[in-house]
Amino acid sequence: MIVRIMGEGQVRLDDGHLTELNKLDDELLAEMESGDEEGFRRTLGALLDAVRRLGTPLPDAALEPSELILPSPDATLSEVRAMLNDDGLIPG
């Protein structure tokens, strides 16, 4: 799976990591629903760090279709809310 972090680039991520990422996504969704800005900031950072750690960066010149687009680390709660679908940021 190709994942884009807005403002950073793309990484190739094995589908086997989706379970771990979905746990963080569920936590992020709960923090957003409760308006927990501090928790939202912490969990968004943890989610993006996990994608960077588990994925393999693609070269800057590569333009693969992204199957998943994640917000930038400095995205606001309202910006991320606008990106959500029924499953959160990560499907499944």
Side-chain angles (χ1 to χ4, degrees):
M1 163 184 285
I2 304 297
V3 179
R4 173 174 298 283
I5 298 175
M6 294 175 69
E8 289 188 24
Q10 295 177 299
V11 298
R12 184 175 309 278
L13 188 70
D14 185 273
D15 289 347
H17 297 298
L18 288 179
T19 301
E20 177 181 346
L21 296 178
N22 268 318
K23 289 177 186 174
L24 289 167
D25 189 41
D26 290 344
E27 188 177 325
L28 185 68
L29 188 58
E31 291 161 347
M32 291 178 64
E33 288 173 352
S34 71
D36 180 359
E37 181 77 32
E38 185 178 320
F40 161 78
R41 199 59 41 224
R42 180 184 58 249
T43 304
L44 177 59
L47 176 63
L48 298 177
D49 287 345
V51 169
R52 292 181 198 109
R53 177 176 43 84
L54 299 169
T56 304
L58 296 180
D60 289 338
L63 288 175
E64 301 282 332
S66 299
E67 296 169 71
L68 180 59
I69 299 174
L70 297 176
S72 66
D74 60 349
T76 66
L77 207 145
S78 62
E79 289 170 335
V80 174
R81 190 173 279 127
M83 296 178 70
L84 293 176
N85 61 41
D86 292 339
D87 292 332
L89 290 171
I90 299 174

